């Protein structure tokens, strides 16, 4: 069992990972700002460290006596990184390099980084993307993720820091924040609960690899229990679902035949990203994954509980979905 520091431990994946690590017997420290007083994790083996990712002293203090570090915090999203590319460089990239230096000084045994399972590959016209394929990101968000992966390689060679990049697909499930415009599934389900037509970017044929959060954290745990063979892994379902397929699943689960309105897709729109899971399944076996309808139903139950609704009705409200993203796991600094 190890001492584990989860940076971004109050975020979507971070909070779920904290619980999973603690349930496996690890001692976990969740690092986040907790600026809104929201603590997503309640477990006797999970402690809280209120800190700012941009503070080198906060990071250094949190690293004391830790074995593994899980970097699951991002200061930007694909949308904010595109609107201000230098912000990603000045915050995510620069501060992660500082974090890696601190990890070397703290003798961290292994560093796990939440990279991107879609943005990092870019539009190459493949049906599946394997870890050995070229990385050709066209968005500032993906470029930043790849830059950090390259720095991990540098710190591995120069300082011997053991690290693993997790190229995560489109996870969804409990804990996604619609306030942060995080994930098409919870956003649409919340809008269905409140009623109203839903806008989509493009014609709904864009294909992504959606993965239920419980399945994702189980995969990550397999990479913690022993030293993996590789330093980069795709983590996804290995199956593609179009936006239209997602909408159809939501209609089946909710029983609401909502209306959609199409809007032009952005220039950085990537039409097809599905992850090749051969490397992971060869080493760890094929995971038993949650079906799309079952996962959507789980989120729908939570949405109805949060909104206090037992049924859905239409209204004149409308929500504009954010740009369909190659991944939707990033947490903000203000978690």
């Amino acid at each position: 069992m190890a001492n584990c520091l989860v940076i971004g431990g109050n975020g979507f994946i971070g909070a779920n990972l904290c619980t999973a690590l603690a349930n496996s017997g690890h001692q976990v420290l969740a690092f986040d700002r907790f600026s809104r007083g929201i603590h997503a994790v309640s477990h006797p083996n999970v402690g809280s460290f209120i800190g700012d990712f941009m503070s080198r002293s906060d990071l250094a203090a949190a690293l004391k006596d830790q074995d593994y570090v899980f970097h699951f915090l991002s200061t930007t999203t694909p949308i904010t990184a595109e609107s201000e590319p230098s912000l990603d460089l000045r915050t995510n990239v620069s501060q992660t390099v500082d974090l890696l230096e601190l990890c070397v000084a703290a003798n961290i045994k292994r560093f796990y980084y939440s990279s991107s399972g879609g943005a990092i590959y870019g539009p190459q016209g493949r049906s599946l993307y394997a870890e050995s394929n070229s990385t050709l990101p066209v968005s500032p968000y993906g470029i930043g993720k790849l830059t950090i992966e390259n720095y991990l390689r540098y710190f591995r060679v120069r300082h011997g820091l053991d690290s693993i990049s997790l190229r995560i697909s489109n996870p969804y499930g409990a804990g996604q924040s619609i306030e942060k415009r995080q994930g098409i599934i919870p956003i649409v389900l919340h809008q269905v609960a409140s009623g109203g037509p839903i806008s989509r970017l493009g014609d709904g044929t864009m294909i992504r690899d959606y993965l239920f959060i419980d399945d994702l954290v189980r995969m990550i745990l397999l990479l913690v229990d022993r030293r993996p063979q590789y330093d980069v892994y795709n983590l996804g379902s290995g199956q593609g679902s179009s936006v239209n397929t997602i909408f159809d699943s939501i209609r089946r689960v909710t029983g609401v035949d909502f209306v959609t309105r199409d809007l032009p897709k952005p220039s950085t729109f990537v039409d097809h990203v599905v992850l090749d899971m051969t490397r992971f399944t060869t080493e760890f076996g094929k995971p038993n994954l949650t079906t799309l309808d079952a996962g959507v139903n789980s989120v729908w139950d939570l949405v109805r509980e949060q909104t206090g609704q037992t049924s859905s009705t239409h209204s004149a409200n409308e929500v504009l979905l954010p740009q369909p993203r190659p991944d939707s796991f990033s947490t903000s600094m203000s978690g």
Side-chain angles (χ1 to χ4, degrees):
M1 299 300 102
N3 292 329
C4 301
L5 174 65
V6 179
I7 298 175
N10 199 43
F12 170 41
I13 295 183
N16 283 279
L17 178 60
C18 283
T19 300
L21 287 167
N23 285 338
S24 295
H26 299 289
Q27 190 66 40
V28 183
L29 185 63
F31 178 100
D32 218 309
R33 288 174 62 180
F34 302 101
S35 57
R36 291 174 293 176
I38 301 171
H39 194 163
V41 181
S42 177
H43 194 287
N45 286 345
V46 179
S48 300
F49 190 105
I50 300 175
D52 189 336
F53 176 64
M54 298 305 297
S55 168
R56 188 180 177 97
S57 61
D58 285 355
L59 292 173
L63 287 167
K64 184 179 180 181
D65 298 325
Q66 299 299 320
D67 299 310
Y68 297 156
V69 172
F70 299 81
H71 183 11
F72 281 76
L73 184 149
S74 177
T75 61
T76 63
T77 68
I79 294 175
T80 59
E82 185 153 347
S83 64
E84 191 179 354
S86 65
L87 176 64
D88 199 63
L89 293 173
R90 289 183 282 109
T91 56
N92 280 325
V93 175
S94 177
Q95 196 65 7
T96 298
V97 173
D98 279 358
L99 172 61
L100 293 173
E101 291 177 342
L102 292 169
C103 285
V104 171
N107 295 314
I108 295 302
K109 295 178 181 177
R110 193 178 303 157
F111 186 95
Y112 294 84
Y113 175 59
S114 59
S115 188
S116 166
I120 206 165
Y121 291 113
Q124 300 184 49
R126 297 178 179 274
S127 58
L128 288 173
Y129 288 85
E131 296 90 342
S132 57
N133 291 146
S134 300
T135 48
L136 301 172
V138 295
S139 68
Y141 185 79
I143 292 168
K145 291 291 186 183
L146 181 57
T147 300
I148 291 174
E149 283 196 14
N150 288 333
Y151 270 109
L152 288 176
R153 185 178 304 109
Y154 165 75
F155 276 86
R156 189 181 309 118
V157 173
R158 178 67 177 83
H159 299 287
L161 178 62
D162 188 9
S163 63
I164 300 173
S165 294
L166 310 176
R167 293 180 179 172
I168 303 172
S169 63
N170 285 62
Y172 69 96
Q176 278 185 296
S177 171
I178 62 169
E179 293 179 359
K180 298 175 184 176
R181 313 299 289 166
Q182 206 176 28
I184 184 174
I185 290 174
I187 290 175
V188 173
L189 286 172
H190 272 275
Q191 187 61 13
V192 168
S194 63
I198 296 167
S199 295
R200 64 184 178 187
L201 301 181
D203 61 3
T205 58
M206 181 200 70
I207 293 176
R208 289 289 183 270
D209 187 331
Y210 295 89
L211 181 66
F212 192 55
I213 184 63
D214 293 358
D215 300 332
L216 171 60
V217 295
R218 280 194 292 267
M219 290 180 182
I220 296 174
L221 287 181
L222 291 173
L223 294 162
V224 175
D225 291 341
R226 65 186 185 191
R227 178 58 180 95
Q229 298 177 18
Y230 301 93
D231 52 33
V232 177
Y233 287 88
N234 284 340
L235 296 182
S237 70
Q239 301 293 323
S241 297
S242 68
V243 171
N244 290 332
T245 298
I246 297 298
F247 282 9
D248 287 343
S249 176
I250 291 174
R251 290 187 178 99
R252 286 193 299 271
V253 168
T254 64
V256 178
D257 189 15
F258 52 85
V259 177
T260 61
R261 181 173 69 97
D262 291 348
L263 297 174
K265 62 183 181 181
S267 59
T268 54
F269 190 98
V270 180
D271 289 320
H272 188 118
V273 178
V274 181
L275 301 184
D276 186 332
M277 290 298 296
T278 302
R279 174 177 291 184
F280 182 92
T281 57
T282 299
E283 187 173 349
F284 299 101
K286 188 174 182 179
N288 184 21
L289 299 178
T290 305
T291 65
L292 180 60
D293 279 11
V296 169
N297 187 69
S298 177
V299 181
W300 177 233
D301 286 343
L302 289 172
V303 168
R304 288 193 295 175
E305 180 181 339
Q306 293 167 1
T307 58
Q309 295 194 19
T310 57
S311 62
S312 301
T313 57
H314 290 291
S315 73
N317 297 326
E318 181 175 3
V319 64
L320 173 60
L321 294 181
Q323 177 179 347
R325 295 162 49 176
D327 53 271
S328 55
F329 62 83
S330 63
T331 59
S332 75
M333 290 179 59
S334 59

